[in-house]
Amino acid sequence: MKFFIDTANLDQIKEAQDLGVLDGVTTNPSLMAKEGITGRNNILKHYVDICNIVDGDVSAEVIATDFEGMVKEGEELAELHPQIVVKVPMIKEGVKAIKYFTDHGIRTNCTLVFSAGQALLAAKAGATYVSPFIGRLDDISTDGLELIADIRLIYDNYGFETQILAASVRHTMHVINCAKIGADVMTGPLSSIEGLLKHPLTDIGLKQFLEDYKKGN
Ligand code: E4P
């Protein structure tokens, strides 16, 4: 399972990268705005900065919602750095744009996916990644994990190569349950990755080992 971090914060990206388990980064316009990154040139530069920190894929989202606009922006984003994956929303024009990018060797992440049908369409168009937003489904009393399981089943039925990128992950149990279902990737905040570390018995055991070592040395 690949671990992506869902942030545009360079310090957090560095911290996750230093842990040695980071496989990529996802961003979106809201995450960019949260870091105060505004204006096209600053945003493009920020994507390059992120690529220079991590080894893996970095999702960069198009803002246009028409086919021509998405293609123009996506081509510009893809040229920024070989690690860039163009993030395209799950709308009709987006599906057309994903197909275009697929045919032109540009990798894509189909975002804002909330149903199995949308995930099927993304795979048919050849998306590299599909991003079902599980946290946002949970927020409206709909089981996000059930969607991951449905997409896994559908993709396995037909051997679709589109990778399931469980997005809108909020906590460690999301990560563990996505791993059990077989999501290819998860993207979440640093806390969802670091939370995997924690167990009181580890802390108690280590404390005991160190105390016992001190007694004999
Ligand atoms: C996915 O790529 C999105 O950036 C993200 O996971 C959305 O998460 P949120 O629902 O916590 O905003």
Side-chain angles (χ1 to χ4, degrees), residues 85-138:
V85 174
V86 179
K87 208 172 178 188
V88 180
M90 171 37 79
I91 54 176
K92 195 170 180 180
E93 296 292 286
V95 173
K96 289 184 203 169
I98 289 169
K99 176 70 175 112
Y100 173 92
F101 290 132
T102 304
D103 292 345
H104 290 78
I106 293 174
R107 295 177 308 139
T108 52
N109 173 358
C110 181
T111 191
L112 290 168
V113 165
F114 293 93
S115 76
Q118 291 178 325
L120 181 55
L121 263 182
K124 290 283 293 175
T128 313
Y129 297 102
V130 66
S131 286
F133 279 34
I134 62 172
R136 292 192 192 187
L137 281 171
D138 289 356

Side-chain angles (χ1 to χ4, degrees), residues 6 26-28 31 87 111 131 133 136 167-170 187:
D6 194 31
T26 50
T27 62
N28 63 42
L31 292 171
K87 208 172 178 188
T111 191
S131 286
F133 279 34
R136 292 192 192 187
S168 188
V169 158
R170 301 274 170 78
T187 190

Side-chain angles (χ1 to χ4, degrees), residues 113-204:
V113 165
F114 293 93
S115 76
Q118 291 178 325
L120 181 55
L121 263 182
K124 290 283 293 175
T128 313
Y129 297 102
V130 66
S131 286
F133 279 34
I134 62 172
R136 292 192 192 187
L137 281 171
D138 289 356
D139 288 345
I140 56 157
S141 313
T142 302
D143 191 350
L145 291 168
E146 205 175 298
L147 175 59
I148 300 292
D150 285 349
I151 299 172
R152 181 74 283 155
L153 176 69
I154 291 168
Y155 282 11
D156 289 351
N157 279 348
Y158 297 98
F160 283 120
E161 287 177 9
T162 299
Q163 295 178 53
I164 303 172
L165 196 174
S168 188
V169 158
R170 301 274 170 78
H171 48 70
T172 55
M173 281 314 293
H174 270 156
V175 180
I176 292 163
N177 285 322
C178 282
K180 283 162 83 173
I181 293 167
D184 301 289
V185 192
M186 80 85 198
T187 190
L190 183 59
S191 59
S192 67
I193 298 173
E194 289 188 334
L196 298 170
L197 271 171
K198 293 177 191 158
H199 200 289
L201 290 179
T202 305
D203 300 336
I204 292 167

